[in-house]
Amino acid sequence: MGRIIAIANQKGGVGKTTTAINLSACLAEAKKKVLTIDLDPQGNTTSGLGVDKNETDNTVYELMLGECTVKECIQKTQIEELYLIASDVNLAGAEIELLGINDKEYILKNAVDYIKDDYDFIIIDCPPSLNMLTVNAMTTADTVLVPIQCEYYALEGLSQLIHTIDLVQQRLNPNLQLEGVVFTMYDARTNLSLQVVENVKNNLNTTIYKTIIPRNIRLAEAPSHGLPINLYDSKSAGAESYRLLAQEVMNRKDI
Ligand SMILES: Nc1ncnc2c1ncn2[C@@H]1O[C@H](COP(=O)(O)OP(=O)(O)O)[C@@H](O)[C@H]1O
Ligand SMILES: [Mg+2]
């Protein structure tokens, strides 16, 4: 049985998409079969994996509106073992279009149920808000992975996010667990990064991934080439760190 991981944090710019792209690619590099679902209307995971949104007829938007089947919207990427359900800007309107539809919290889950046994990992990149799309990700997922940017306001909003995960677990998806947190954009030259890590460790009772993702310019450059970091610069600090994160994720025995 595979594991479905939603990458969520309602703050923008904390490294969700970078983690979705590169964790997916490094799991695939380790020979796991991976499906990445882009659930953000910005579609940055889609373009970051080298897929042209304009060339894609069936995105997660068509899937959620019942205009295509899940198999029809899964596409291959340039990376062996890595498949994608793309997103584009239309998804921004989905929440309104789904108003009044029965079981709208479970639309993605009901679709993914058909294919989840085909993959070792399904990674869902969430939008930067706690909206119906994020709820759909959390009803589909087994676990939620929370990227935390090593900056001053890191803890802000975290209690709200954890409250949301608790609510979804109580009311919609009793199997949902917190996968843990991963620190991103760590800058070894500043005390601040270190303080943030210590502060979160002291205040949060959850798994904290040992791998800390450094601030690395290659990670920021790679999406503009449509490549994950292990293909863009395989020896960079960013690639090494996402490989280590993928190993840790694969080695979890408790979830
Ligand atoms: N470890 C990192 N080192 C350098 N830049 C990063 C790193 N992680 C993310 N970025 C950059 O920071 C910005 C926000 O990251 P992104 O993954 O898009 O966050 P989110 O999906 O949470 O909004 C992007 O421009 C991205 O390229
Ligand atoms: Mg994003």
Side-chain angles (χ1 to χ4, degrees), residues 115-154:
I115 47 91
K116 68 176 179 194
D117 291 338
D118 299 343
Y119 297 92
D120 297 310
F121 287 94
I122 298 179
I123 307 289
I124 309 174
D125 185 26
C126 292
S129 64
L130 296 173
N131 61 10
M132 188 50 63
L133 293 171
T134 301
V135 169
N136 263 273
M138 289 186 185
T139 58
T140 308
D142 301 309
T143 64
V144 181
L145 177 62
V146 181
I148 294 184
Q149 186 183 353
C150 295
E151 48 105 50
Y152 187 67
Y153 294 107

